[in-house]
Amino acid sequence: MAPRRSKGAGAFPKAVETPAPARPEPDALYAALDLGTNSCRMLIAQPKGSGFHVVDSFSKSVQLGAGLEKTGRLSRSSMARTIQALRICQQKLQRNRVKHKRMRLVATEACRRAKNGRDFMRQIKRETGLAMEIIPAQEEARLAVISCAPLVSTRTEQLLVVDIGGGSTELVWIDLTAVPHRDRPAAIMRLRKGFYNDDSPFPVAKVVDWISVPLGVATLRDQFHDVHDDAGRFALMSWFFEESLANFSPYNDQQTMEHFQIVGTSGTVTTVAASHLGLKRYDRTKVDGLRMTSQQIDKVIRSYLDLGPHGRRHDPRIGEDRQALIMSGAAILQALLRCWPTDRLSVADRGLREGLLYAQMSADGILEDGPF
């Protein structure tokens, strides 16, 4: 299960998802749907300035990739759960009268890997009318990077964006030293045109290297489901993921914490942040853009291990749905912090859906220029 590679190789947060003040015209709406290994999530949004207002949303755990590691196929039960969720999405799109040309509906790792993934896309079309597409790993990584543009510090010279998904983890290393300080977040947004956009008239963010590791919170958990000791399973998962990164080490011999920023986007990262803050109820405005030290992250992970499976299941910041996946996500996060020692990680409550929206709106030229 070798990682896929490309051929070539201080955050400033602003809330993205603020409620729209009034019901917008359908012509002003965009939609993005992300069908992942574990979840089905959708946003319907209206452009506003250099960002957007969310008009409607949907999120549900469908566990599409359940059993995929053993059979190589999507199961009937997981596809049935997913179809039910997609019918709700279709109803929301219809109710908001979103135009087809302004929606992007994508599937990721589970459908990329499954032998019947493309057949399932055709089934979705027949049963819901939704035209889904399976996007390649590089595009998934690029869209995750774009979503994090508003969180990139103008002081950042070396940027690592990490997107921990259900079935895969994408890492993108970007060199911003050639970009003027004020323009660095905007340079990330311009990656919508491709990782290697040499024709740009603007100073470009240089993608040094990227990798898609076919291990996410669900697939890594499934690799070690037969290990019953909680702490032992966590250690094995973290070691196994670190081994998968052996060939991805940009600037490995020149590591410095100065002007280096890691942005982490995933349910794992936001859950760890919520636990660190001691939130009794999740609050996106407190989590998105938060900077955590590696010591703070380690403290939260140790507390998860101390809780054990039963305690994690009843922790309000983790919850019943996420408790089965939080330790595999924490193992990935711990491995990353071992590979690239840094005193800060920027937390991003955003990801593929936001990247899809930003890319569509930016391509249509309706986002305002200037700082985010």
Side-chain angles (χ1 to χ4, degrees), residues 187-205:
I188 298 298
M189 183 69 74
R190 288 195 289 269
L191 289 174
R192 68 174 177 78
K193 296 181 180 179
F195 271 171
Y196 308 102
N197 182 27
D198 298 328
D199 298 329
S200 173
F202 304 99
V204 297

Side-chain angles (χ1 to χ4, degrees), residues 114-267:
K115 297 174 184 176
N116 57 341
R118 298 196 178 279
D119 290 337
F120 185 45
M121 296 297 101
R122 289 188 281 270
Q123 180 183 346
I124 291 172
K125 177 66 174 176
R126 287 195 308 271
E127 297 192 24
T128 70
L130 298 178
M132 301 281 300
E133 59 175 313
I134 302 173
I135 59 172
Q138 186 183 45
E139 185 169 7
E140 182 179 359
R142 180 170 54 82
L143 291 165
V145 170
I146 291 170
S147 75
C148 296
L151 301 184
V152 175
S153 168
T154 56
R155 297 188 296 273
T156 295
E157 293 181 356
Q158 302 297 328
L159 173 69
L160 176 63
V161 176
V162 181
D163 181 19
I164 306 173
S168 65
T169 298
E170 279 67 46
L171 297 91
V172 185
W173 191 292
I174 300 169
D175 187 332
L176 292 165
T177 53
V179 182
H181 289 268
R182 182 177 172 82
D183 197 38
R184 285 173 182 176
I188 298 298
M189 183 69 74
R190 288 195 289 269
L191 289 174
R192 68 174 177 78
K193 296 181 180 179
F195 271 171
Y196 308 102
N197 182 27
D198 298 328
D199 298 329
S200 173
F202 304 99
V204 297
K206 178 185 176 184
V207 177
V208 177
D209 202 359
W210 76 277
I211 191 171
S212 178
V213 182
L215 291 169
V217 294
T219 47
L220 183 59
R221 176 202 59 188
D222 292 346
Q223 287 277 336
F224 295 93
H225 72 279
D226 56 344
V227 180
H228 299 294
D229 180 71
D230 191 50
R233 181 171 58 251
F234 173 79
L236 284 170
M237 289 190 296
S238 188
W239 164 82
F240 188 67
F241 187 83
E242 186 173 348
E243 287 292 298
S244 299
L245 296 175
N247 295 323
F248 179 78
S249 54
Y251 302 131
N252 195 42
D253 299 327
Q254 305 174 34
Q255 287 182 12
T256 175
M257 288 188 289
E258 189 177 4
H259 307 302
F260 172 53
Q261 182 181 5
I262 298 182
V263 178
T265 170
S266 72

Side-chain angles (χ1 to χ4, degrees), residues 37-59:
T37 302
N38 192 59
S39 302
C40 174
R41 298 180 294 180
M42 184 180 71
L43 289 177
I44 298 174
Q46 175 187 13
K48 180 67 175 180
S50 59
F52 52 79
H53 290 302
V54 169
V55 174
D56 203 349
S57 64
F58 176 80
S59 180

Side-chain angles (χ1 to χ4, degrees), residues 31 57 103 105 109 111 174 177 226 269 305 332 334 350 363:
S57 64
M103 64 176 74
L105 318 175
E109 183 67 9
C111 293
I174 300 169
T177 53
D226 56 344
V269 177
L305 287 168
I332 292 172
Q334 187 186 73
R350 54 187 75 212

